[in-house]
Amino acid sequence: QVQLVESGGGLVQAGGSLRLSCTASGRTFSRYTMGWFRQAPGKEREFVATISTSGGRTIYTDSVKGRFTISRDNAKNTVYLQMNSLKPEDTAVYYCAADREGHYGNVEDAYYDYWGQGTQVTVSS
């Protein structure tokens, strides 16, 4: 069983930045496609970004394009989400997730096998 642990959330003013980290246990991290999702109060969980096993390919939801960057360091078993120009509507609990089959391009949460506990991001106006 793979464990994912997120960190880096917090309270920030609109226009500010945060970097989320997610570290995985085990020795097979490099085989996993990784994704970030978020869930705002009263809303369903939504896709934010995903990155291929090598880190060479990424996909973003339209609302974060140009502001968020997903990256990974396979040597550190860690995936990152750099969030710039944050907006109040980015407020949510952010989750990282791993697809153990390594399939690239999945934006539906059903394709991901392992999930972190979530980290709260709050953006004040």
Side-chain angles (χ1 to χ4, degrees):
Q1 183 73 13
V2 173
Q3 292 188 337
L4 303 176
V5 179
E6 300 105 334
S7 61
L11 173 64
V12 63
Q13 289 187 333
S17 299
L18 284 174
R19 188 175 82 156
L20 306 183
S21 299
C22 171
T23 300
S25 64
R27 293 179 287 182
T28 55
F29 177 78
S30 62
R31 301 177 188 174
Y32 303 148
T33 293
M34 298 299 296
W36 285 97
F37 291 77
R38 66 186 180 186
Q39 187 168 20
K43 295 187 177 181
E44 293 188 352
R45 186 165 58 191
E46 65 171 353
F47 166 78
V48 176
T50 186
I51 188 166
S52 62
T53 54
S54 67
R57 294 179 291 175
T58 57
I59 299 173
Y60 298 91
T61 192
D62 286 347
S63 62
V64 308
K65 285 180 181 176
R67 301 189 298 122
F68 290 12
T69 302
I70 187 172
S71 61
R72 67 190 296 162
D73 185 337
N74 286 342
K76 295 182 178 180
N77 279 17
T78 300
V79 62
Y80 305 96
L81 186 68
Q82 177 67 44
M83 304 185 295
N84 299 327
S85 301
L86 282 160
K87 304 175 181 180
E89 51 264 44
D90 294 318
T91 295
V93 177
Y94 283 71
Y95 299 90
C96 71
D99 170 7
R100 64 187 175 191
E101 300 298 326
H103 296 134
Y104 173 68
N106 290 327
V107 302
E108 298 290 336
D109 57 4
Y111 289 101
Y112 290 81
D113 305 289
Y114 307 116
W115 292 82
Q117 81 288 352
T119 185
Q120 177 71 46
V121 171
T122 303
V123 184
S124 63
S125 58

